[in-house]
Amino acid sequence: MLKRSGFKSRGSGFKAAAGELRRSKFKKKHTKRKEGYSNPDYMSKVAALGCAICAMLGYGWVACEVHHRRTGTGGGRRAKDTDTCPLCPNHHTGSDGIHQGRKNWELRFGVTELGLIEETQQKLGFISES
Ligand SMILES: [Zn+2]
Ligand SMILES: [Zn+2]
């Protein structure tokens, strides 16, 4: 005797698969990015410059991270990738870092965040639209 019940369950199996497909359509929404805010090419060029503070202090080229402008940002305003400057981990988020307090940091090194950003843009030949 052949059992045929095994073939009958095929229909419900297909339905389950369709449900999986439907669910997978709900992809995570990407975080909103305004046009021109993301510029990975520029970011990598900034990183290649090496820490701006270390260079100023005569330490030569020091591997760095890319710091985004904080002046005038916050409260929904986001810095563009072209509003950045190169800082090593120590001068970025470390104990001698700008993230410890920008005003004191600027006084200590005799620079301004915006000044460094402009300098970086000039070095890379970037012309700001504003
Ligand atoms: Zn540094
Ligand atoms: Zn930063």
Side-chain angles (χ1 to χ4, degrees):
M1 284 276 269
L2 282 166
K3 282 182 182 174
R4 313 198 84 183
S5 59
F7 294 96
K8 278 181 183 172
S9 63
R10 231 188 133 182
S12 60
F14 178 74
K15 267 181 198 167
E20 283 298 314
L21 275 173
R22 207 180 308 142
R23 210 176 310 157
S24 69
K25 278 189 179 175
F26 289 96
K27 282 176 185 171
K28 274 186 182 174
K29 278 185 183 174
H30 290 283
T31 44
K32 277 185 184 175
R33 276 180 188 279
K34 280 186 185 172
E35 204 65 44
Y37 274 59
S38 181
N39 193 336
D41 186 52
Y42 187 87
M43 291 278 281
S44 62
K45 283 178 186 167
V46 174
L49 290 174
C51 178
I53 301 299
C54 284
M56 190 183 78
L57 298 175
Y59 299 155
W61 188 90
V62 175
C64 66
E65 297 166 346
V66 178
H67 168 70
H68 277 85
R69 170 179 164 169
R70 302 192 105 199
T71 312
T73 62
R77 290 191 65 187
R78 188 175 166 273
K80 295 180 184 181
D81 280 355
T82 47
D83 282 337
T84 51
C85 58
L87 294 171
C88 70
N90 182 40
H91 289 127
H92 186 209
T93 52
S95 52
D96 297 321
I98 191 170
H99 282 260
Q100 304 303 326
R102 184 171 54 81
K103 272 284 157 224
N104 284 336
W105 185 88
E106 286 179 339
L107 286 170
R108 183 169 164 191
F109 294 106
V111 296
T112 63
E113 183 189 43
L114 293 180
L116 287 177
I117 290 169
E118 270 176 30
E119 201 182 295
T120 305
Q121 290 175 342
Q122 277 165 18
K123 275 183 191 167
L124 297 177
F126 176 81
I127 294 128
S128 183
E129 316 88 53
S130 55

